[in-house]
Amino acid sequence: MSAAVLIDPSDESVIREVPDTPVEEVDAAVARAVRAQRGWAALAPADRAQALRRFADAVDGAVEELARLEVRNSGHPIGSARWEAGHVRDVLEYSAGFPERLNGRQIPVAGGLDVTFHEPIGVVGIIVPWNFPMTIAAWGFGPALAAGNAVILKPAEWTPLTALRLAELALASGLPEGLLQVLPGPGAVVGERLVAHPDVRKIVFTGSTETGRKVMAGCARHVKQVTLELGGKSANVVFADADLEAAAASAPGAVFDNAGQDCCARSRILVERRALDRFLELLEPAVKAVSVGRPGEESTEMGPLVSVAHRDKVRGYLELGTPVAFQGTAPEGPGFWVPPTVLLPGSRADRVVTEEIFGPVVSVLPFDDEADAIALANDTVYGLAGSIWTRDLGRAIRVSRAVEAGNLSVNSHSSVRYSTPFGGMKQSGIGRELGPDAAVAFTETKNVFLSNG
Ligand code: NDP
């Protein structure tokens, strides 16, 4: 049987092998999920809520263990990994509120009573990437389970360890066997089978736009629901009237967090031309101060990239010859390291400006006025996130309405909260996750008319 060999990205040591799931086992898992889903959906809403709370408690008790697994498997700094594990617990707790709040509607009609129900879809396939293995999984499985579905989760080949542990915690906390299954293995085998299997009625996919396109085409063949959360090339727009100190101090975190392997990374900093020199002066010490090092150390802010293949891809962008403004530091020796790097591209059409690098590399570009800032921010196939720095409230409103992106923040860089909707416009995706409507996305609306005749 084939297996993935997992490598610690900070020192290149072998962690362990994880066997791939063969196609026949995917089919057997789907059959188990179909059975488990029927029983789960038949439970009283309060009982489903209670079961999710117990799962959240089990995750809460394992925060440190999950965090340490992510440090080893993905190279995330320990502080970030603890936040991620805590976020999984929070998503589950928030999701536990859904079963008893999935209200239908009563619609006034003649001759009787008309009501709607949010019925579960059935079995949901969740395909996740390697950049935030446990949080992105939870955004899918929390609300999907809450709405009465069974879930089959395919982790990325490089980073399956936290997902496998979460499935064990689910079982240990009392969730029925077969309700949440994790099937490691290659996308071309396990992922494609989930997309093609007729009993998997919805796919939630997070990853590259290229693979997302294939997944969507596969779902179309089966007229299957699909949510896509894809790439980004988000803009951090800094106007001259902004608090430049605060904008420059926070800009490194907004792009170098998780070593830039973040679909929301603000990887284009757009600065009003008359403030450019001052902004760069303030940005340089902030970039040089980013603490890059061993992910297990408490003081580390940025770790290595996830794999040698990905490190080489990111380095390839640094070899294109774009002028470097300044760089931070990175450890020598084994590990997949790239220092935080600030580029000053000569053209808005450079590849480093238009393509998602998914590493600790940011381009700084000047703009002339508000209209130019909006045009430049929107000059991308993506539309996931972005930030706007200004002290002018009217401008903040105008620009945030004009930028074509699903998640914007003004004078901050927040993108993800479990209680607010998240997702992209344009080629960044279709559908929304999280927020008050998260569970509705895992239901079919059924309309029932009861005649009074
Ligand atoms: P992919 O989009 O290929 O992988 C994401 C997930 O999809 C993984 O679980 C992968 O499995 C699976 N998958 C791959 N092919 C298929 C398929 N044909 N059918 C179903 N599932 C499939 O991302 P990569 O890991 O290749 O990363 C490439 C680039 O994508 C990055 O450099 C980055 O630019 C971007 N990216 C964006 C992310 C985001 O959050 N928006 C996340 C990750 C990457 P497997 O692990 O086995 O390949």
Side-chain angles (χ1 to χ4, degrees), residues 391-427:
R391 286 194 172 98
D392 179 335
L393 181 58
R395 167 174 281 161
I397 296 169
R398 288 191 302 275
V399 178
S400 50
R401 294 302 303 270
V403 173
E404 299 158 347
N407 296 82
L408 293 169
S409 54
V410 175
N411 297 332
S412 77
H413 295 294
S414 95
S415 290
V416 171
R417 282 185 211 83
Y418 57 80
S419 56
T420 57
F422 177 78
M425 294 181 182
K426 293 155 69 178
Q427 290 188 29

Side-chain angles (χ1 to χ4, degrees), residues 284 287-288 318 324-329 338-342:
E284 183 166 0
V287 169
K288 291 190 167 158
L318 298 181
V324 175
F326 37 84
Q327 284 187 302
T329 59
V338 173
T341 302
V342 178

Side-chain angles (χ1 to χ4, degrees), residues 39-374:
W40 176 244
L43 283 182
D47 292 340
R48 264 190 278 136
Q50 189 55 35
L52 289 174
R53 277 185 208 107
R54 281 197 292 264
F55 184 13
D57 288 346
V59 173
D60 188 49
V63 162
E64 190 63 23
E65 180 198 353
L66 287 162
R68 294 280 164 195
L69 273 179
E70 208 65 279
V71 167
R72 190 93 209 279
N73 194 179
S74 306
H76 290 194
I78 181 66
S80 312
R82 281 192 196 113
W83 182 89
E84 289 159 29
H87 182 75
V88 174
R89 171 204 56 220
D90 295 345
V91 170
L92 283 167
E93 270 172 10
Y94 184 69
S95 298
F98 287 133
E100 294 172 284
R101 291 177 180 80
L102 268 173
N103 304 318
R105 301 167 92 175
Q106 180 268 313
I107 299 168
V109 293
L113 176 68
D114 193 282
V115 286
T116 66
F117 296 89
H118 291 299
E119 303 287 12
I121 294 172
V123 178
V124 175
I126 300 177
I127 300 172
V128 300
W130 44 259
N131 60 332
F132 288 105
M134 58 179 149
T135 53
I136 293 175
W139 299 356
F141 68 63
L145 294 173
N149 303 282
V151 169
I152 299 185
L153 171 63
K154 192 208 98 60
E157 253 186 297
W158 292 336
T159 57
L161 294 185
T162 46
L164 288 165
R165 185 66 189 122
L166 284 167
E168 290 171 359
L169 291 168
L171 261 187
S173 73
L175 282 195
E177 193 125 16
L179 194 68
L180 172 59
Q181 300 176 77
V182 174
L183 307 183
V189 179
V190 180
E192 285 192 14
R193 183 62 190 144
L194 290 177
V195 171
H197 198 297
D199 288 339
V200 177
R201 295 304 314 146
K202 173 164 183 160
I203 294 287
V204 178
F205 171 85
T206 305
S208 63
T209 297
E210 194 188 338
T211 307
R213 236 179 246 124
K214 276 194 218 156
V215 166
M216 191 174 180
C219 289
R221 272 197 288 282
H222 299 269
V223 194
K224 186 174 291 194
Q225 287 195 44
V226 63
T227 295
L228 300 175
E229 206 272 276
L230 310 173
K233 193 74 190 177
S234 298
N236 177 7
V237 187
V238 182
F239 287 94
D241 69 23
D243 178 344
L244 290 183
E245 278 77 10
S250 63
V255 61
F256 302 139
D257 188 49
N258 203 20
Q261 303 165 117
D262 182 342
C263 47
C264 293
R266 274 60 167 177
S267 52
R268 293 181 300 150
I269 305 180
L270 318 183
V271 187
E272 194 164 352
R273 201 177 295 276
R274 63 194 164 91
L276 182 63
D277 290 346
R278 178 68 187 137
F279 181 81
L280 286 171
E281 233 172 67
L282 292 164
L283 183 63
E284 183 166 0
V287 169
K288 291 190 167 158
V290 175
S291 153
V292 184
R294 301 286 148 208
E297 283 171 23
E298 299 288 338
S299 59
T300 294
E301 292 171 317
M302 193 186 113
L305 295 180
V306 70
S307 68
V308 67
H310 189 57
R311 192 265 322 266
D312 290 349
K313 182 182 161 195
V314 172
R315 274 193 183 162
Y317 283 97
L318 298 181
E319 285 155 11
L320 294 174
T322 312
V324 175
F326 37 84
Q327 284 187 302
T329 59
E332 302 283 325
F336 310 129
W337 304 100
V338 173
T341 302
V342 178
L343 301 177
L344 288 175
S347 153
R348 293 178 176 191
D350 280 5
R351 282 182 57 203
V352 296
V353 177
T354 60
E355 294 179 18
E356 182 179 47
I357 298 174
F358 226 60
V361 181
V362 67
S363 293
V364 178
L365 295 156
F367 65 83
D368 295 317
D369 54 21
E370 191 176 309
D372 191 34
I374 293 166

